Amino acid sequence: MAASGEDRGGGGGLAGEAAALRQAGNEHFQAGRYEEALEAYASALTPPPPHPHQRLFLSLPSSSLQGAYAQAEQDASSAIDADPGDVKGLFRRSQALQHLGRLDQALSDLQRCISLEPKNRALQEALRDLGSRMHEKVRDAASTDSKVEQMFRVLLDPEEKDQDKKQKAAQNLIVLAREEPGAEKIFQNDGVHLLLQLLDTKRLDMVLAALRTLTGLCRGHRSRTVAVLTALGPRRFFAMLELENEQVSLAACSLLQVMFDSLKEGLQREVRGKEEALVSETSKELKLLLKQLLEALTRESISSYGRDSILNLLITVVPRRSLQEPSNSLALWVIDQGLKEILVVGGTVAHLPGSLHVTENSHMSAAVLLSKLYGDLKCDVERENFHLLCGNCIKGWFQGDEMPGKLQAIRAVSCLLQGPSEAGNRALELNGILESILSLCASSREADQLVAVEALIHAADKAKHASFITANGVMLLKEIYKHSERDSIRIRALVGLCKLGSAGGTDFSMKQFAEGSTLKLAKQCRKWLCNKAMDEGTRYWAAEGLAYLTLDADVKEEFVEDQVALQALFQLARSENRTVMFAVASAVVNCTSSYDQEELDPQMVELAKYAKQHVPEKHPKDKPEFVRRRVRKLLAAGVVSALSGMVKNESPALSASCRELISRVFLALVEDPEDRGVVVAHGGGKALLPLALDGTEVGQTRAAQALARITITTPPEMAFPGERVYEVVRPLVGLLHVKRTGLENFEGLMALTNLAGTSERLRQKILKEKAVPMVEGYLFEEHEMIRLAATECMCNLALSPEVAELFLAEGSDRLKLMVLYSGEEDERLQRAAAGTLAVLTSLLPQTCTRIPHVTVHWLEILQALLLSPNVELQHRGVVVVRNMVLAEKELAEKFVESEALEILSVLAGLQKEKPQVAQPAKECLAQAVTYGLIKPSTVGGE
C-alpha cells in the first residue's frame, strides 16, 4: 500500500522529511503496526510556512496534546483559526475530539481533511476507523436501551420470583443513573413512568430502588428534575413519606435535597454542542416543592421518620448558607406560608389522641428549623412579623376551652424556647401562659404534668423567669420530685430544680439552694444516667440535669471521679436520640471550664466593693491545676472518641452552638502539649477540621486554634495524614485575621511555619489562601513574639521561588527588613531573619547584589553574625557571605577589604569544632583565590 499526497508548500527539506515519514508509515502499516503508521502519516502532513500563531500552537509536543485533550483541542482550534485549510491542525483536533468522546465533531474535521487531501490514505484509514467506532457506539447505545428495558421488566414482572435477580436489576439501575449518559438513557426510555410504577408497588426494596434511581436522574439536571416533580404529583409525593421506615425516609430526603439543589443551581457542567432544555421559571417549581413539604408536615398519614426528614430538609435548603447572600426571600416565603405548620409539629403532644406521628427528635428538629428561620431575618420588621405569627398561633390554641389546645400551646412555647429563645420569651409573656404552666405542674393527669414541667424547665432560661419560678415553683417541683410515681416526671422535676439551682452560673457567691443541695441533685442524676434499665428519654433528662449542675465546681470534681457515669454519658451521645448531644457537650464544657471567663480588673473590683455592687467570685476548685486534672480524667474516659462521633453525626441537633461547645472542649483538651498526642490518636485532628470550617465564628476560631496547637507540636504528616493536611491550611490562615487575639495570631503563625517547612505543595496551598500579605503585616508587629513567629514563617515560605521573588520587587523593603532584623539583639529574631537571607541568597543570586544597597550597615551586620557565639547564627551568616562571594567579584572584594577576611580565615580553621561553619568559610576563601583577590597561602596552606 502506498501513500500519496501533494506537499502543500515549503522547501525541499520539508518535502523530503514528509516523504521519509510517509515511507515509514507504509512500513509500519505493512507490518500491522497501525498506531505507529497513523502517527507517521499524521506527521507527514507537512504544514505550510508557519503563521506566527501557528508557531505558538503547533510547536507543542505530542505528549502535551495526548496528555490534555481538552487543551489540545483548543490549541488546534486556534491554529485552524489562523489557517482554515491547515490539514495537520484539523487532524490533531479530530484526534483530540475523539478522545473527548465528541465523535460527530471529530468526523466533521476528518471529512474536511479528506476534502483537502483526497488521496491521503492515512486520512482515509483514520476515517474508516472512526466510522467503526461510531457504529460500535450506536450499537452499545442500543444495547444500553435494551438493558434498561430488561431491568424494568424484571423489576415490574409480578411473576418473577428470583429475588437475587430483582436485587441485581435494581442495583444496576441505581448505578446506571449515577452517570449522566446512563441517567439520560433511563429518562429517554420512559424511565420516569416506570420508576413511578415501582413506587406504587409499596414494596420496600422496590421503593428504595426507585427513589435512589430518581435521585440519579435529578442530580445536576434541572429539566429532568422538573419532569420528575411534575410526574410525581402530590399523591405519590406524600405516599413516599408515609412509610414508617427510616431507610425510605432517608432516601426520599436525599431525592428532595437533590431536587432542591438542581432547581436552585441548574445544570452545572456545560455540555458542548448540546444545550439543555430551558426551564424558564425555576422559582415556581421550588415553591411548589416547598408548599408540598409544608403541607406534608401536618398530614396525619405522614410517618414519624418522614416528618423528621422534611424538617431536616427544610433546615438544610431554606435558610441562606451565608449571611453575606443578599436575598432571604425563601425564608420569608416559608415563614409566611408554613410557620404555623412548623409550630404544629413543635407543639405536638404525643400522648394526645389524634396527634401527629413524631419521633423523640422531631421536637428538637422543629426548634432548630425555627431558630434557623429566625436567624435568617434581616431587620426588626421581619422579626416583628415572626413574633406576631407565633403569638397569633399560640393564642389561638391557648384561648380555647379544650385542654388539648392549651397543652399544644405550652408545648409550642417550649419549642420556641429551645429554638429562637427571643421569640420563646415573647410567647412566654402572653397573658396566662406562665401561670398555666405552673398550675398544670400540679395537675392530677401525669401526661399534662409532663408537658408543663418540660415547659417550666425551658422557661427558666432567662434570669427574670428563673427568679419568678424560684419564688413560685420551687416547692411545687420538689413536691413532684418527692411524690410522683413516674420516673419520667420525677426526672423532669429534678432537671427543673437543677436548672434553678445553677442560675448563679459559675459565680461561687450566688447560690440558689442551700449548701450541698446541688451535690445531692447531681448524685441522683448520675444514678439515673447509669441505670441502663431506664429508657433513653429518662436518661437524656439526667444528662440535661448534669449539664446545668456541672457549673458548680464541686459537682465537676465528683462527676469526673465517677468513670461509670462518664462512660454512660458518652455512650448516650452515640444513641439515636440526637437531642442529647447539646447536653453532653455542655456538661463537658463545664468540666473543662472552657466557657468564656472574663478577667476582672482589680481596680474595678475594689470600686464595685466600695459601691456595694455584686462582684462574681471564682470557685477555688476552678483553678488551673484542678482543671488540668479534670481534663486528664476525661481523656482517660474516652472523651475524644465521644466528641468525634458527635461531629460525624449529621443530625440537626448538631447545631452551630453545639459545634461551638465541642470546639471549646477540644481547645481545652490540647492545652497541655503532653495531651495532644492522645487527642490525635483518638481522631481529634480529623474531627476538628469540619468544626473549623462550619459553625459560629467563635466555634470556628476555637477549633482552628486547637488545630494550630496540634500542628505546632506534632509533625503535620502524622497529625493529618494524606490529603487531610491541606485542609488544615485555611483554618490556620483564618487565625491571622486582624480581628483575632494576639495569642491566636501567634499560634496561627507558628503552625503555618511548620506546614511551610514540610513541602512545596503545602507552601503553594498557603500562597493560594493569600496568607503571605498577612504574614508580612505581622513582621512589623510591636509584640516581639508575634514578630518573631512571622519572621520564622516567612523564612520557611521563602523556600518557594514565588515568595522569594517578592523580595526583589521594585520599591519593596522586604529584603531591607530581613537584613536589619539580622542585626537585632534578640537571637531568635536574628536566627529567623538570617535564615531567610540564607534561603534567598541560595535561591536567587540577584538577592546578593541587592543586599549592599538596602542599608549602609549590611557589612557590619554580617560580620556580627560571623562573630556570634551562637553556632546557628554563625552558620547562617557564613552561608549568606559565601553566596554573596560566589555571586559577584565586586562583593568578594568588599569582604576581602574588610575584617571579614580575617574572620573567615579563623572560621575556616574550625573544621573539628564547627564543621558546618568551617566548610562555607573555606568555600569563600577558595572563591577569593579564584578571583585573584588573595593568595593561596592565605587559606592556611591549602
Side-chain angles (χ1 to χ4, degrees), residues 834-852:
T836 307
L837 289 178
V839 169
L840 291 171
T841 53
S842 298
L843 284 177
L844 300 174
Q846 310 96 295
T847 313
C848 301
T849 58
R850 289 279 189 94
I851 289 177

Side-chain angles (χ1 to χ4, degrees), residues 304-317:
S304 57
Y305 291 117
R307 194 164 279 109
D308 279 0
S309 294
I310 296 171
L311 291 170
N312 295 344
L313 180 64
L314 292 172
I315 289 168
T316 305
V317 302

